[in-house]
Amino acid sequence: MRPFEYARAGNVSEAGQLAGRFIAGGTNLLDLMKLEVEAPEKLVDITRLPLDKIEDTEDGGLRIGALVTNSDLAADPRIRRDYEVLSRALLAGASGQLRNKATTGGNLLQRTRCGYFYEPSQPCNKREPGSGCGAIGGFNRIHAILGTSDKCIATHPSDMAVAMQALEATVETQKTDGSTREIPLIEFHRLSGDTPEIETVLEPGELITAVRLPKSQGGNQVYRKVRDRASYAFALVSVAAVVKMDGGKIEWARLAFGGLAHKPWRNHDLEAALKGEAPSSALFDKAADILLADAKGQGENDFKIPLARRTLKAVLAQATKGA
């Protein structure tokens, strides 16, 4: 690990003005520093900022502070009651020890687990722009099949972000000039495009302060994660679903996918195709066709296309069971 400067932020405004890389739980960043994948010149410790509360909002939703740990968020009675898909997604991620340290803001900002990104001797446009993508034509079993580019086929690793996408979360931030903004989570992460090193829409020094969930609208909530082993593994395919039934038909559905793209993936055309329809195998096949219309395997990850189809159909069958 290379030498770096350390500073502790006394308040939210000061954090951005200290001009460094934010650190809280450090469950991802410290690993990257040890491997010299990242070498920030300055770390700004934000762990003592008052951002560790889960608060009710006036509209009946919840405001989750950026420093709320994954364990506390998953265990909160309001989350378990009204946002079950989020609790299940959090508990499917990492280990108990890591969830005790990992924070809500940090979870959104964790970086890909691509082996080429983690190995400085290998080409990676995300780590070193212009060096190439070793995963294209290389070992790419865990890599993306949707929204890829010729610069990068990495996937985003977060379980939490997938569930929050289905719940239509909003990210609250504060910029270095003190101004704030609210970013719909669906717009927060970027696809790789020509600049895979730029992963979010955050500006330099902009700090995530909270994530807001709208009032729960009910519905059946399902989170399914397919992975190589039962625990402590990232998703090959994951699906978060919130489906509201009415009179034996799907009133509305919100679905988000992990393990398939550079960001948590959502397809509004798929959701529109389900609306007002009675559940059936044919309907679920149609939904899968829409999801995977532009899917492209890279050889070793070709299996993800039929796997995503089967997983989506199983989740929809579970979410509409008894209709």
Side-chain angles (χ1 to χ4, degrees):
M1 185 181 291
R2 300 179 186 179
F4 58 88
E5 183 182 351
Y6 171 84
R8 176 176 287 163
N11 55 60
V12 172
S13 297
E14 183 184 18
Q17 295 168 1
L18 286 170
R21 180 72 183 274
F22 300 130
I23 185 169
T27 56
N28 186 203
L29 177 57
L30 291 178
D31 284 342
L32 294 172
M33 291 174 65
K34 290 175 183 177
L35 294 170
E36 296 192 355
V37 174
E38 293 197 25
E41 295 181 357
K42 184 177 184 179
L43 291 184
V44 177
D45 186 344
I46 60 171
T47 54
R48 297 194 180 185
L49 300 183
L51 303 174
D52 60 348
K53 306 296 183 186
I54 304 174
E55 303 169 303
D56 297 316
T57 59
E58 292 183 357
D59 64 357
L62 290 177
R63 184 177 186 272
I64 304 161
L67 295 180
V68 173
T69 68
N70 288 178
S71 290
D72 287 346
L73 183 57
D76 187 277
R78 294 163 292 184
I79 296 293
R80 295 177 64 185
R81 182 188 65 228
D82 297 328
Y83 308 96
E84 177 187 359
V85 67
L86 176 56
S87 182
R88 290 184 177 276
L90 286 163
L91 293 174
S95 65
Q97 294 92 332
L98 286 172
R99 291 194 296 269
N100 289 341
K101 292 292 292 181
T103 61
T104 299
N107 193 309
L108 292 178
L109 295 175
Q110 64 180 305
R111 308 199 70 185
T112 184
R113 264 48 181 194
C114 171
Y116 295 93
F117 173 70
Y118 268 77
E119 177 47 67
S121 67
Q122 296 295 317
C124 174
N125 288 318
K126 183 180 289 293
R127 189 187 64 250
E128 185 180 348
S131 63
C133 175
I136 297 177
F139 182 70
N140 50 47
R141 185 172 185 274
I142 68 170
H143 287 72
I145 60 172
L146 291 171
T148 59
S149 73
D150 60 359
K151 298 293 193 298
C152 179
I153 58 171
T155 56
H156 190 271
S158 174
D159 291 288
M160 183 195 79
V162 175
M164 285 186 168
Q165 190 83 269
L167 293 169
E168 300 193 317
T170 300
V171 181
E172 298 180 4
T173 69
Q174 181 164 313
K175 299 182 181 181
T176 55
D177 62 3
S179 63
T180 61
R181 63 171 172 160
E182 299 180 354
I183 308 167
L185 184 57
I186 196 170
E187 300 173 6
F188 182 80
H189 296 100
R190 293 165 47 106
L191 291 177
S192 56
D194 292 328
T195 55
E197 73 278 11
I198 304 174
E199 298 173 336
T200 73
V201 298
L202 291 177
E203 298 176 5
E206 188 171 6
L207 176 67
I208 296 174
T209 54
V211 176
R212 194 174 68 250
L213 298 178
K215 181 180 179 180
S216 174
Q217 298 179 24
N220 302 322
Q221 300 187 22
V222 178
Y223 186 75
R224 182 167 297 198
K225 179 179 182 179
V226 182
R227 45 190 164 174
D228 283 326
R229 56 182 184 270
S231 65
Y232 203 61
F234 295 97
L236 295 170
V237 175
S238 64
V239 183
V242 184
V243 180
K244 184 69 174 295
M245 302 298 297
D246 181 29
K249 294 186 177 181
I250 300 171
E251 183 178 348
W252 51 258
R254 296 195 295 268
L255 298 109
F257 302 85
L260 301 183
H262 196 256
K263 60 182 287 185
W265 192 261
R266 190 169 172 195
N267 187 311
H268 291 294
D269 291 338
L270 183 163
E271 296 171 9
L274 294 171
K275 186 175 181 180
E277 299 292 334
S280 69
S281 180
L283 178 66
F284 300 161
D285 271 323
K286 179 181 178 181
D289 288 342
I290 295 171
L291 171 68
L292 299 168
D294 297 320
K296 178 183 177 182
Q298 298 289 336
E300 291 184 346
N301 70 343
D302 291 352
F303 74 95
K304 280 194 174 187
I305 297 175
L307 179 61
R309 173 179 292 276
R310 292 195 300 270
T311 305
L312 172 58
K313 292 183 66 176
V315 166
L316 287 173
Q318 183 178 351
T320 59
K321 187 176 181 180

